[in-house]
Amino acid sequence: MSSPVYLDYAATTPVDPRVAEVMSRHLTLDGTFANPASRSHMPGWLAEQAVENARRQVADLINADPREIVWTSGATEADNLALIGYLRANRERGRHLVTSTIEHKAVIDTAKALESEGFDVTWLAPDAGGRTSPERLAAAMRPDTQLVSLMAVNNELGSINDISALAEVAHAHGAVMHVDAAQAVGRIPLDVRDQDIDLMSLSGHKVYGPKGIGALFVKRSPELRLQALIHGGGHERGMRSGTLATHQIAGMGEAFALAAQEGAADQTRIGVLRDRLLAGLADIPGVHHNTDTATAVPNILNLGFDGVDGESLLMALRDIALSTGSACNSASVEPSYVLKGIGVPRRLALASLRLSLGRFTSDEDIERAVSALRHALMGLRERAAP
Ligand SMILES: *Cc1c(COP(=O)(O)O)cnc(C)c1O
């Protein structure tokens, strides 16, 4: 039996072999393994150099200064640090946060935690394409609004927000702009200067780097102060203590350098594969595009299917590794809150699949996926027919 076709790149990507090779050089005695905070010996300096090299690689991809990159354990922690760290540090100035109903759980649950701490949250509804409109954001802004948190690319739909326009609205009302860019790195151009972003969350494992490492971009500005969530040795300019994970950081740096070099070409090739997948299903009735394919990133495709039940569909598709809704809530049978958020009816949401493609997706993978999907849909519908 051949291994399943992996079409769940939005949940996590495999580590690129070139990244794994770099990581393996930062672990053992003959490698760069020392504590980057050890200032008293050569192995420590070399580890520090490796960390600073990676910091520059990550900064370069988003046009930031390396001093604006704070290492975290992932985008989840970066989102927590951005929201909690900024709002707690500025609570005398105001207690209002604006975000959307289809953010990643790392933002939604953090905003809920802040609500229980006495902060006030406005939850914006997206349009049917999964985007937050600058006009709606403007209408939600208040004199006490401190922070706007909106994602660049949605992880279930692939929809792209107009981050520059949203940041402009936030700033016009005196608020700070946070962007969760975990799904955007290597998929769309990011430029924190050009787009005027204050805080940006990044992850290693969505872009062929390792899991367990991420970063928060924190714009260098006297007004932008964050309260640390994790206290200890005062690493990362006091914003995030803890011994730096040299091998993870070097891996994330290499992954971001590769994304800068190859991300655009990857996306072009993936777009062709996505179109071939859609063409392979074009003659099958009752296939709904939850993803607005004309405007979304090409690597994420969310489809709903009439006349089948989601569980049976998933069972019939065991040869393909994919997600229903998002992996984070696949433990429960509730329809995805993101699909609900853009108005997909409950029944259709429960019979929806997210297919996400990546750097290592081949022509053969797509052929196998099309044939498995056709087979599953026709089989299930035949059985369901009276
Ligand atoms: C995966 C993801 C996260 C969480 O990132 P981790 O590095 O796994 O903590 C946050 N936001 C979005 C949009 C994501 O896709």
Side-chain angles (χ1 to χ4, degrees):
M1 205 187 89
S2 52
S3 56
V5 177
Y6 188 75
L7 290 181
D8 207 10
Y9 280 82
T12 194
T13 57
V15 170
D16 189 295
R18 294 166 291 183
V19 170
E21 198 275 319
V22 167
M23 291 178 69
S24 71
R25 286 193 263 121
H26 294 81
L27 288 164
T28 50
L29 181 61
D30 60 351
T32 311
F33 70 92
N35 190 326
S38 295
R39 293 278 154 76
S40 55
H41 49 67
M42 178 68 94
W45 305 333
L46 290 175
E48 189 191 15
Q49 261 177 31
V51 165
E52 294 316 309
N53 179 53
R55 204 188 291 280
R56 177 166 292 283
Q57 289 172 314
V58 168
D60 280 351
L61 184 88
I62 60 170
N63 194 25
D65 184 296
R67 290 170 296 180
E68 297 174 313
I69 301 298
V70 175
W71 300 115
T72 65
S73 60
T76 300
E77 187 190 329
D79 287 340
N80 273 263
L81 179 57
L83 270 63
I84 300 175
Y86 185 76
L87 287 171
R88 278 193 191 155
N90 295 282
R91 65 175 3 133
E92 314 77 39
R93 305 213 324 229
R95 295 179 157 251
H96 186 224
L97 161 70
V98 182
T99 186
S100 92
T101 56
I102 61 164
E103 297 301 303
H104 191 272
K105 285 281 183 186
V107 165
I108 292 196
D109 289 350
T110 303
K112 284 184 182 162
L114 284 162
E115 269 180 334
S116 70
E117 237 180 76
F119 290 93
D120 204 6
V121 181
T122 296
W123 303 92
L124 295 174
D127 67 18
R131 291 170 299 257
T132 298
S133 85
E135 293 72 31
R136 266 203 200 168
L137 174 61
M141 298 301 289
R142 308 192 318 212
D144 63 337
T145 309
Q146 290 301 311
L147 185 67
V148 173
S149 177
L150 294 165
M151 67 207 315
V153 171
N154 183 274
N155 48 300
E156 288 194 40
L157 300 167
S159 51
I160 305 171
N161 269 327
D162 184 348
I163 289 302
S164 302
L166 295 165
E168 200 178 317
V169 172
H171 293 146
H173 293 81
V176 155
M177 184 74 196
H178 168 248
V179 175
D180 180 335
Q183 294 286 345
V185 172
R187 275 83 187 192
I188 60 169
L190 292 169
D191 184 322
V192 291
R193 297 282 170 257
D194 209 40
Q195 296 174 306
D196 207 4
I197 294 161
D198 303 295
L199 298 162
M200 182 185 270
S201 300
L202 305 166
S203 177
H205 74 99
K206 303 290 173 66
V207 60
Y208 314 100
K211 297 168 192 51
I213 186 71
L216 182 67
F217 157 79
V218 183
K219 183 180 165 182
R220 271 172 84 86
S221 135
E223 293 106 77
L224 213 82
R225 279 196 324 278
L226 301 184
Q227 197 179 96
L229 301 179
I230 295 179
H231 306 276
H235 306 72
E236 300 298 279
R237 291 182 289 127
M239 281 182 269
R240 208 286 193 169
S241 289
T243 302
L244 293 175
T246 315
H247 62 301
Q248 305 286 81
I249 289 171
M252 179 162 162
E254 182 66 15
F256 273 54
L258 290 171
Q261 290 158 25
E262 301 179 4
D266 281 345
Q267 287 300 86
T268 304
R269 195 184 63 85
I270 288 165
V272 173
L273 294 178
R274 187 267 317 259
D275 292 344
R276 196 170 299 164
L277 204 160
L278 283 174
L281 302 175
D283 62 324
I284 299 189
V287 177
H288 298 266
H289 293 190
N290 298 324
T291 294
D292 178 11
T293 49
T295 57
V297 289
N299 55 294
I300 298 180
L301 182 59
N302 200 310
L303 300 174
F305 304 94
D306 281 339
V308 296
D309 137 83
E311 283 297 295
S312 321
L313 188 57
L314 206 58
M315 291 291 283
L317 286 172
R318 267 170 307 191
D319 278 354
I320 313 183
L322 42 70
S323 282
T324 56
S326 135
C328 309
N329 46 30
S330 64
S332 75
V333 288
E334 276 307 292
S336 142
Y337 67 92
V338 173
L339 296 181
K340 198 173 151 206
I342 60 165
V344 176
R346 184 186 162 86
R347 246 190 94 78
L348 191 62
L350 285 171
S352 289
L353 301 174
R354 179 187 69 183
L355 303 143
S356 50
L357 288 61
R359 183 176 287 165
F360 307 110
T361 306
S362 66
D363 293 354
E364 194 206 328
D365 289 340
I366 297 302
E367 274 165 38
R368 279 178 64 194
V370 166
S371 125
L373 271 164
R374 294 182 68 91
H375 194 78
L377 283 171
M378 290 177 189
L380 288 170
R381 283 184 183 157
E382 245 165 56
R383 251 177 283 161

